[in-house]
Amino acid sequence: MSLFVVMLGYGILLPTLPYYTERLAIKGNLDTDLINFHIGLLTSIYPFFQLLFVVVWGKLSDKYGRKPIIICGLIGFVIMQLLTGLATSLTMLYVARIFGGIFTSAVIPVSNAYLSDITSEKRRTKIMAWSGVAISSGVIFGPVIGGLLSQTDLHLQYSFGLLHLDRFSTPFLFAALLGLIVLFIVMKWLKNTTRVHKFTTQKVRLRFTFTKYFAVLLVLSFVIQFVVTLFETVFSIYGKDELGFNSNQIGIGFMLCGSIMAVLQPVFATYGEKFLSTKKQIALGLFISGLSLIVFPFFKNEYLVYVLIVVFAAGGAMVTPNLLSAVSLISKQNTGRNISIQSSTNSVGQILGPVLGTWLLSGGFYYPFIIAGSIILAVIGFLFFFKNPP
C-alpha cells in the first residue's frame, strides 16, 4: 500500500503540474519559456534528491529496522502533498518537491527491502512482481485521478497566511489523505524487521570492472529513461499549449502509457524470447519508440495522439525488462551491484530528461519529440556491441 500511494502521488502531479506551475508563475509575470523551464526543473529536482538520499535511508533501515524509516517516508509524503496543494509561490512548490524527493526515497526501496526480509528466496520473485504491480498501478491511476479532481466544479478559494486552497489543491489533498490512512495502517499493523548483520574478517574487494557489454547496457538504460521522462514532461506542456487538452485528457494519455507498459512488460519478459532474441527485442522496441516520437508532433487529433502514446509505450515495454534481465545475468556474484549501478544510471536519465526537454521546447514543439526519437534510433547502433557477456 505504501508503494501504491507514493506512486499515485507521483502520477497525480503529471497532468496537473503545467497548469499549477503556470498559475503560480503568472503572479511573477514570467514568460512561457521560463514557465516551461520551471516545469522541467520541478520534475527533475524530485528524482535528483531521491538519488542523493536513497542510500542514506537504506543504511538507516539496516540499523534501525524498516518500519520506522517507512513511517518517516510516509510522513514526508503527506507533508509534501499538503505543501504542493496549498502552495502560493514557485518557491513553496520547489520546497515541496525537494522535501518530497528526500522523504519518498525512504519508502520504495525500504518497502522492497521489507518484502525481501519477510519472504523466502523461493517466493521472492513473485512478491517482487506484486511490488511492481503496486508501483505501476499508482502510475496508471494517478494521472486519471489528478486530471479528474483538478477539473471539479468546486469553487474553492480560501487563503490563510502563506497557504491557498482552490480546485487545483483537490488532487494533492486527496493524495495526502490517502497517505495519512496508509501511515496509520503501517503504524498499527506493520511489524518491524531488522537485517541481521554478519561480521566477517574476509577482505572485500571494491574494484569495479566495466566491460564493453555492461557499458552498452548502461547507455541503453540511460537513453530509454531519459526519453521516457522527457516525453512525460513535454507531453503535458504540449497537450496544454498546442493541442488544447485539459488536465483530464492529458491524464488519460499518461494512464494509457502506464497501462501499456505495466501489461506488456511481463508479457515480453515471459514470452518474448520464444519469438525474438533479447538483442532483437531491444532493437525492435527502440525502433518502434523512436519512430513514434518522431511522427508524434505531426498529428493533432486526440485519438491519433493516444494511439501514438500506446505505440511508444509498447516499444518501451519491449526494451526495459530485457535490459534489466541482461544486466542481472552479467555476473551471479555482482548482480545486486550491477542492478544498483543501472538504477543510478536510470535516475540520471530521469533528472536530465525533463530539463533538456523543456529547454528544447523554447525552439518549438517539434524539437523535443524529433530529437528524442532520433537519439533512440541512433543508439540502436550500440547493439552492434551487444554480445553475450564474457
Side-chain angles (χ1 to χ4, degrees), residues 90-108:
L90 284 175
T91 302
M92 287 183 66
L93 199 52
Y94 273 108
V95 170
R97 295 292 285 167
I98 292 170
F99 191 86
I102 292 171
F103 281 90
T104 57
S105 63
V107 178
I108 295 176

Side-chain angles (χ1 to χ4, degrees), residues 121-382:
E121 289 188 11
K122 187 177 181 180
R123 295 183 65 241
R124 194 163 298 162
T125 301
K126 186 177 180 180
I127 293 298
M128 289 304 171
W130 280 107
S131 166
V133 170
I135 290 172
S136 298
S137 299
V139 177
I140 291 167
F141 293 111
V144 179
I145 293 171
L148 286 173
L149 291 180
S150 65
Q151 292 295 313
T152 55
D153 293 327
L154 298 174
H155 298 289
L156 298 171
Q157 283 285 357
Y158 299 106
S159 295
F160 31 100
L162 293 174
L163 305 177
H164 181 76
L165 178 68
D166 62 14
R167 69 184 180 90
F168 279 110
S169 306
T170 309
F172 304 106
L173 298 182
F174 174 77
L177 178 61
L178 283 182
L180 205 57
I181 293 170
V182 173
L183 174 62
F184 286 132
I185 292 172
V186 168
M187 291 175 68
K188 186 171 179 61
W189 283 292
L190 193 73
K191 294 180 180 179
N192 197 16
T193 65
T194 307
R195 271 185 55 182
V196 178
H197 296 277
K198 294 182 180 179
F199 296 96
T200 176
T201 57
Q202 183 181 358
K203 292 183 179 179
V204 180
R205 291 190 301 172
L206 297 176
R207 188 181 64 182
F208 294 167
T209 303
F210 277 80
T211 63
K212 185 184 292 184
Y213 175 79
F214 188 31
V216 168
L217 293 178
L218 292 180
V219 169
L220 294 173
S221 296
F222 167 80
V223 167
I224 197 70
Q225 288 299 320
F226 168 82
V227 169
V228 166
T229 50
L230 179 149
F231 174 80
E232 287 176 345
T233 306
V234 172
F235 170 66
S236 59
I237 301 170
Y238 175 73
K240 176 178 74 73
D241 294 342
E242 184 72 7
L243 300 179
F245 283 6
N246 58 38
S247 56
N248 189 32
Q249 290 170 301
I250 294 173
I252 291 171
F254 283 120
M255 182 204 70
L256 288 171
C257 186
S259 300
I260 293 299
M261 294 194 79
V263 171
L264 292 186
Q265 281 191 62
V267 172
F268 289 131
T270 306
Y271 303 106
E273 283 202 1
K274 293 182 179 180
F275 304 98
L276 293 172
S277 67
T278 297
K279 181 177 179 178
K280 289 180 179 178
Q281 285 186 74
I282 293 174
L284 180 60
L286 290 172
F287 179 77
I288 290 171
S289 294
L291 195 61
S292 63
L293 277 182
I294 289 173
V295 303
F296 190 84
F298 296 98
F299 292 89
K300 309 297 182 183
N301 179 272
E302 179 181 356
Y303 297 105
L304 288 177
V305 167
Y306 291 152
V307 168
L308 286 171
I309 289 174
V310 168
V311 173
F312 170 73
M318 195 177 293
V319 175
T320 305
N322 281 291
L323 286 178
L324 181 59
S325 174
V327 169
S328 68
L329 293 172
I330 291 174
S331 169
K332 290 183 179 179
Q333 290 76 26
N334 297 312
T335 299
R337 187 209 73 183
N338 291 340
I339 291 176
S340 295
I341 293 172
Q342 186 199 28
S343 178
S344 298
T345 304
N346 291 345
S347 295
V348 174
Q350 291 166 357
I351 292 165
L352 294 178
V355 174
L356 292 178
T358 49
W359 176 71
L360 288 170
L361 271 176
S362 61
F365 282 110
Y366 290 87
Y367 288 104
F369 297 109
I370 293 174
I371 291 175
S374 300
I375 289 172
I376 290 183
L377 295 181
V379 297
I380 294 176
F382 279 82

Side-chain angles (χ1 to χ4, degrees), residues 16-155:
T16 56
L17 184 61
Y19 302 91
Y20 203 54
T21 306
E22 185 179 56
R23 188 194 64 132
L24 296 176
I26 286 174
K27 297 178 181 179
N29 296 317
L30 302 180
D31 61 31
T32 302
D33 289 340
L34 198 52
I35 291 173
N36 291 340
F37 172 77
H38 280 295
I39 292 170
L41 199 56
L42 284 163
T43 306
S44 294
I45 207 167
Y46 186 74
F48 175 73
F49 277 89
Q50 284 184 322
L51 179 63
L52 290 182
F53 283 86
V54 65
V55 176
V56 176
W57 290 118
K59 289 182 177 179
L60 288 173
S61 74
D62 289 342
K63 185 175 181 180
Y64 298 106
R66 314 301 186 197
K67 181 177 178 177
I69 304 305
I70 293 172
I71 289 172
C72 284
L74 287 171
I75 291 172
F77 171 81
V78 171
I79 294 172
M80 175 193 70
Q81 295 298 330
L82 290 174
L83 285 175
T84 303
L86 302 174
T88 54
S89 67
L90 284 175
T91 302
M92 287 183 66
L93 199 52
Y94 273 108
V95 170
R97 295 292 285 167
I98 292 170
F99 191 86
I102 292 171
F103 281 90
T104 57
S105 63
V107 178
I108 295 176
V110 177
S111 295
N112 282 329
Y114 181 90
L115 293 173
S116 179
D117 291 341
I118 63 173
T119 55
S120 63
E121 289 188 11
K122 187 177 181 180
R123 295 183 65 241
R124 194 163 298 162
T125 301
K126 186 177 180 180
I127 293 298
M128 289 304 171
W130 280 107
S131 166
V133 170
I135 290 172
S136 298
S137 299
V139 177
I140 291 167
F141 293 111
V144 179
I145 293 171
L148 286 173
L149 291 180
S150 65
Q151 292 295 313
T152 55
D153 293 327
L154 298 174
H155 298 289

